[in-house]
Amino acid sequence: MCGICGQASLAEAELGGTAVGTMLDRLVHRGPDGHWIKHGTSATFGMARLTIRGLTSGEQPMVDLATGVMVVCNGEIDNHGELRAWLAGRGRPVPEDTDVAVLPGLYLELGAAFVDRLVGAFALAVWDPRERRLLLARDRAGERPLFYAVDGDTVTFASQLAAMAARQAEPPALDAPALHRYLQLGYFAAPDSPLAGVIKVGPAECVTLTAHGIETRRYWRWPKPSPSRPDASIEAFDGLFRQAVRRQSEVDVPVGLFLSGGVDSSLIAAVTRSLHPDKPLTAYGLRFGEDSFDEGQYAERVAGDLGIAYIPVWVTPAELPRLLRAVIHTSGEPLADPAWVPTALLSERAAQDIRLALSGEGADELFGGYPTYFGAGLAERYARLPGALRAALRTLIERWPPSDRKVTLSFLLKRFVQGDNLEGIARHVLWNASLAPATLARLGIVPALRIWEPPADTSLLDRIQHYDLERSLAEGLLTKADRASMHSALELRAPFLDPAVMEFAATLPARERVRGIQTKVFLKRYATRYLPEDIVYRKKRGLSVPLSRWLREEPLLPWVEAALSRPALDRLGLDRQAIAALLQEHLRRQADHGRALWALVVLSEWLDWLDTAAPARRP
């Protein structure tokens, strides 16, 4: 993995001074193994490299001498072997041993359609001086980030917003509507970014920029289930999944595992061990002092059974302010997921030993793992009850006192009764929101969420899973994973997001994903090939942080109070008296506002960083 950036002039003129060197300085944490800047006709690209494949080569950007086409890529091309052979057959041998070396030849053979052929996690840019055309693309699932801005005839792009903020000397302007949407969702869904004029490339999106305008093409979308697949058996899936794990783990550096003890990460650990029986492997897992949040004993057991070394990483509240500021500084954006900082802590420890770790991201969204998936069906039936009865039940449930324990019945029921008058996707968005609409209204804002269009003729379960894949996974969970891990120059790979695995999951009928209150029906049945049943079928807990209690106590409370009282929040039209009221209600246990307060704290810390984000321009 790497950090990439660049500028290109779409007009018939050469670039004057460029900001690429300054931008590259903001990306060195993503690639400490080598830094290069190359100039082409009306374009300058930069790259900071983290070595995963090709330890003695791999300098980027790559330039085709005959045409001047320049390519730079952040990520891994897992099917580079097949592509290399295909190019050789067409008279374009690829001498270098790095996976990304196939990209210039592929572009010259296929044009913009070359991205359709790529398997892996990537973000890339291609400058074609013959057409004065810049092409930007992001992988199917959205594992790797990419942003761009158009200033007159100049296009600037980069892996992270911290670099985009450094492209000009003056402080960046805010995109207030996008930030209001962030407060509700907890993340930025493409094309949103918190900086005015800066656009996020979406997952599976290819953007072509010329002097004539901007064209956006979605080159892949999770297909709706089809009964025509010849073999949707466990045996067929085993072959696909093992191939995905093999491709992502056969690299030139040591590989580790992020292991929670849940079925997804445990399955990846078991398959990795099966593929590499003699290879030293280390697993890293988070631990919490609060029993209801701690799953470390399960991770330790799985690692022991598989002969994998296990390193626990204990999370304490004292770590949060330091690491939050650090990941905001390197990433340049706010993210409201409370697990962002613990994931950064885990990555910080793992990066002392390894360059690459496998994680279980994507399994829940693809195979139906969240309680909200069966909850959606229950809600459809609940909505048919008389309105007076639903109102009475809601009043009773909302009087239930909040608890600091993890995913309590009161928490689940309160989420369930919210939005009982909404349709399926809107209700799902509300259930997963950082700030509910009522809380946002108290703060003085009413965000206008961007319309999301699901594929036609799909079931409610299909639509919800599809939404989660393209929004909360691609723009939330994978953003968390990328920014947290790359803060310490650690690459995370997710075998469940291999295209063949994703397309297999799309063929499963609803009953093989969710049946009654059972989730991940097919995947759990498959997992029993590799894991004990009590690990596979134990109650899902997921990664959560005891945030509600921590925010009420030392050492975090003084930090929270200071962050929430910053005048910078006024720039977004937020009512600071309402913010203070939310904090007091939380402290008195009148309500659990932990997620809302955390989203506001993160926003405040980001606004504080933004005031110093634009550096003095280099000579």
Side-chain angles (χ1 to χ4, degrees), residues 234-267:
I234 282 179
E235 288 73 20
F237 180 71
D238 189 45
L240 292 174
F241 191 64
R242 289 175 69 86
Q243 182 184 33
V245 175
R246 185 188 300 277
R247 283 199 295 209
Q248 296 191 15
S249 60
E250 287 186 342
V251 294
D252 299 331
V253 296
V255 176
L257 302 154
F258 275 13
L259 184 60
S260 69
V263 64
D264 307 329
S265 62
S266 298
L267 179 56

Side-chain angles (χ1 to χ4, degrees), residues 537-551:
Y537 289 102
R538 74 180 181 87
K539 182 180 178 182
K540 179 178 177 63
R541 298 169 79 178
L543 174 56
S544 296
V545 181
L547 196 63
S548 294
R549 184 172 72 81
W550 285 359
L551 295 182

Side-chain angles (χ1 to χ4, degrees), residues 43 51 59 82 144 151 157 179 250 288 303 436-437 461 476 496 608:
T51 303
E59 181 177 328
E82 304 98 281
R144 302 294 174 255
D151 301 298
F157 68 88
L179 283 158
E250 287 186 342
F288 293 90
L461 177 61
F496 285 109
D608 189 57

Side-chain angles (χ1 to χ4, degrees), residues 37 183 190:
I37 293 177
L183 283 173

Side-chain angles (χ1 to χ4, degrees), residues 342-377:
T343 304
L345 184 66
L346 187 66
S347 301
E348 193 175 64
R349 173 60 188 87
Q352 297 175 24
D353 309 322
I354 59 173
R355 293 288 187 91
L356 171 68
L358 302 183
S359 76
E361 298 286 9
D364 285 318
E365 292 80 3
L366 288 164
F367 292 92
Y370 291 123
T372 51
Y373 293 163
F374 66 75

Side-chain angles (χ1 to χ4, degrees), residues 188-504:
F188 295 89
D192 273 357
S193 91
L195 303 182
V198 177
I199 299 168
K200 179 192 284 189
V201 178
E205 197 168 78
C206 183
V207 181
T208 302
L209 301 103
T210 68
H212 303 293
I214 302 173
E215 294 182 4
T216 299
R217 174 175 72 96
R218 182 185 288 275
Y219 64 88
W220 183 90
R221 204 172 193 195
W222 194 55
K224 79 174 189 176
S226 169
S228 62
R229 185 180 179 91
D231 189 357
S233 66
I234 282 179
E235 288 73 20
F237 180 71
D238 189 45
L240 292 174
F241 191 64
R242 289 175 69 86
Q243 182 184 33
V245 175
R246 185 188 300 277
R247 283 199 295 209
Q248 296 191 15
S249 60
E250 287 186 342
V251 294
D252 299 331
V253 296
V255 176
L257 302 154
F258 275 13
L259 184 60
S260 69
V263 64
D264 307 329
S265 62
S266 298
L267 179 56
I268 290 172
V271 173
T272 305
R273 171 52 78 210
S274 172
L275 292 168
H276 306 287
D278 301 320
K279 189 174 186 176
L281 293 171
T282 302
Y284 303 83
L286 292 170
R287 300 296 307 266
F288 293 90
E290 294 79 357
D291 288 342
S292 69
F293 289 82
D294 186 53
E295 299 184 281
Q297 67 272 27
Y298 301 108
E300 189 170 6
R301 177 189 155 191
V302 169
D305 290 347
L306 296 172
I308 295 172
Y310 175 71
I311 295 179
V313 178
W314 290 90
V315 185
T316 63
E319 297 279 2
L320 267 62
R322 172 188 71 85
L323 261 179
L324 178 62
R325 293 188 188 106
V327 294
I328 286 174
H329 177 80
T330 54
S331 69
E333 64 189 297
L335 181 67
D337 188 339
W340 190 20
V341 175
T343 304
L345 184 66
L346 187 66
S347 301
E348 193 175 64
R349 173 60 188 87
Q352 297 175 24
D353 309 322
I354 59 173
R355 293 288 187 91
L356 171 68
L358 302 183
S359 76
E361 298 286 9
D364 285 318
E365 292 80 3
L366 288 164
F367 292 92
Y370 291 123
T372 51
Y373 293 163
F374 66 75
L378 296 175
E380 295 283 288
R381 293 191 286 274
Y382 177 79
R384 292 195 286 268
L385 294 176
L389 177 58
R390 285 186 282 115
L393 288 171
R394 181 172 183 172
T395 299
L396 287 173
I397 290 169
E398 289 181 342
R399 287 177 180 170
W400 205 327
S403 170
D404 290 341
R405 292 183 63 81
K406 181 178 182 179
V407 195
T408 61
L409 180 60
S410 65
F411 171 84
L412 292 174
L413 288 176
K414 286 177 182 179
R415 287 280 175 162
F416 182 81
V417 299
Q418 289 179 359
D420 60 2
N421 60 336
L422 299 175
E423 59 86 24
I425 290 292
R427 184 174 58 237
H428 183 70
V429 172
L430 175 63
W431 282 354
N432 291 282
S434 288
L435 275 74
T439 305
L440 292 165
R442 289 180 64 181
L443 298 178
I445 60 175
V446 181
L449 292 182
R450 291 186 180 275
I451 295 174
W452 177 83
E453 292 291 345
D457 302 322
T458 54
S459 69
L460 175 59
L461 177 61
D462 290 333
R463 294 197 302 274
I464 290 173
Q465 285 184 257
H466 207 137
Y467 177 90
D468 283 350
L469 279 165
E470 294 186 354
R471 290 291 180 90
S472 59
L473 174 69
E475 313 291 35
L477 295 175
L478 293 178
T479 297
K480 172 196 71 179
D482 177 84
R483 309 308 189 269
S485 62
M486 290 308 293
H487 172 72
S488 297
L490 176 74
E491 177 170 332
L492 287 186
R493 300 300 307 273
F496 285 109
L497 298 179
D498 180 272
V501 174
M502 290 195 287
E503 289 169 6
F504 181 97

Side-chain angles (χ1 to χ4, degrees), residues 565-583:
S565 62
R566 281 195 180 109
L569 292 170
D570 297 340
R571 292 157 64 183
L572 294 173
L574 301 178
D575 185 335
R576 276 195 288 149
Q577 288 188 338
I579 293 174
L582 290 178
L583 178 59

